[in-house]
Amino acid sequence: AQSVTQLGSHVSVSEGALVLLRCNYSSSVPPYLFWYVQYPNQGLQLLLKYTTGATLVKGINGFEAEFKKSETSFHLTKPSAHMSDAAEYFCAVIPSGGSYIPTFGRGTSLIVHP
Amino acid sequence: DAGVTQSPTHLIKTRGQQVTLRCSPKSGHDTVSWYQQALGQGPQFIFQYYEEEERQRGNFPDRFSGHQFPNYSSELNVNALLLGDSALYLCASSPGGGYYGYTFGSGTRLTVV
């Protein structure tokens, strides 16, 4: 079965600092990978996705993620954090050739200090 | 273009009661999935509807049932509510099965007392 591990339930950064949110997955074949963001009392918004092709994926709001097959990772980064980035971030995986039902990680809460 | 619309936004029910949650998918989307998100957890897949049929189901008891209508809107029904059913229920829609990702609604916050 697919599983998604997000290292760190909380990540705290200063405004302007690099944001790094970690995601590792278990899969015997390269899956489809997603990052979603959830603001308080809202649903999930798609930040970016990897299906095939270029392993460095750029998303909205200046975020990007790199698919590393050898490390089974799909970490999310942003060069400079803004206060408005404070939210819950979820990594999700869909097994390729499967049912297209995503499995979500437990989420990482990003805290941005002024 | 309206995204995914869910109603109601908040709901309080008593143990043992039944509840119905509603979802209108994004225009052009024919597949609707339902998720349960407990506090501090990631969304857990309940089931997915396509062409008015339940296509996939997660690890949820039969107390959880659903329906999809010809206009692709969907309902989630939960019978015999338990305290543990308290959660945010998210509806997500996609075109043709989810390959391109899902659009989520803002959810219905269900509190069981």
Side-chain angles (χ1 to χ4, degrees), chain A residues 48-109:
Chain A
L48 48 80
K49 62 188 177 189
Y50 169 80
T51 52
T52 58
T55 56
L56 182 62
V57 180
K58 295 185 184 300
I60 62 171
N61 301 338
F63 284 94
E64 62 182 38
E66 186 172 11
F67 168 58
K68 292 187 176 180
K69 181 180 176 182
S70 61
E71 299 177 7
T72 61
S73 69
F74 191 57
H75 301 332
L76 181 70
T77 61
K78 182 174 181 178
S80 176
H82 295 164
M83 296 296 292
S84 60
D85 294 327
E88 193 80 15
Y89 291 80
F90 293 93
C91 181
V93 58
I94 292 177
S96 57
S99 61
Y100 300 126
I101 304 297
T103 298
F104 286 86
R106 296 184 61 152
T108 297
S109 179

Side-chain angles (χ1 to χ4, degrees), chain B residues 83-102:
Chain B
L83 295 180
D85 295 331
S86 295
L88 181 67
Y89 288 84
L90 296 167
C91 173
S93 71
S94 60
Y99 171 83
Y100 298 103
Y102 292 78

Side-chain angles (χ1 to χ4, degrees), chain A residues 17-37:
Chain A
L18 171 72
V19 175
L20 171 61
L21 305 182
R22 300 176 187 274
C23 173
N24 289 87
Y25 64 91
S26 66
S27 175
S28 58
V29 296
Y32 305 134
L33 297 157
F34 304 82
W35 275 99
Y36 286 87
V37 61

Side-chain angles (χ1 to χ4, degrees), chain B residues 12-83:
Chain B
I12 299 175
K13 289 288 190 177
T14 303
R15 273 182 302 173
Q17 285 188 315
Q18 179 266 346
V19 68
T20 297
L21 310 181
R22 295 176 175 82
C23 172
S24 293
K26 183 177 179 178
S27 178
H29 289 187
D30 57 7
T31 304
V32 173
S33 302
W34 286 92
Y35 288 82
Q36 181 194 67
Q37 186 180 17
L39 203 60
Q41 303 291 321
Q44 297 294 312
F45 174 70
I46 303 175
F47 42 54
Q48 184 181 81
Y49 277 84
Y50 173 71
E51 292 187 342
E52 302 179 51
E53 296 285 335
E54 183 183 290
R55 186 161 70 171
Q56 296 278 338
R57 188 177 183 92
N59 189 25
F60 278 80
D62 292 343
R63 297 187 297 109
F64 290 77
S65 63
H67 189 78
Q68 186 178 35
F69 299 93
N71 66 353
Y72 307 126
S73 67
S74 177
E75 289 181 348
L76 164 65
N77 301 294
V78 187
N79 295 322
L81 285 166
L82 304 174
L83 295 180

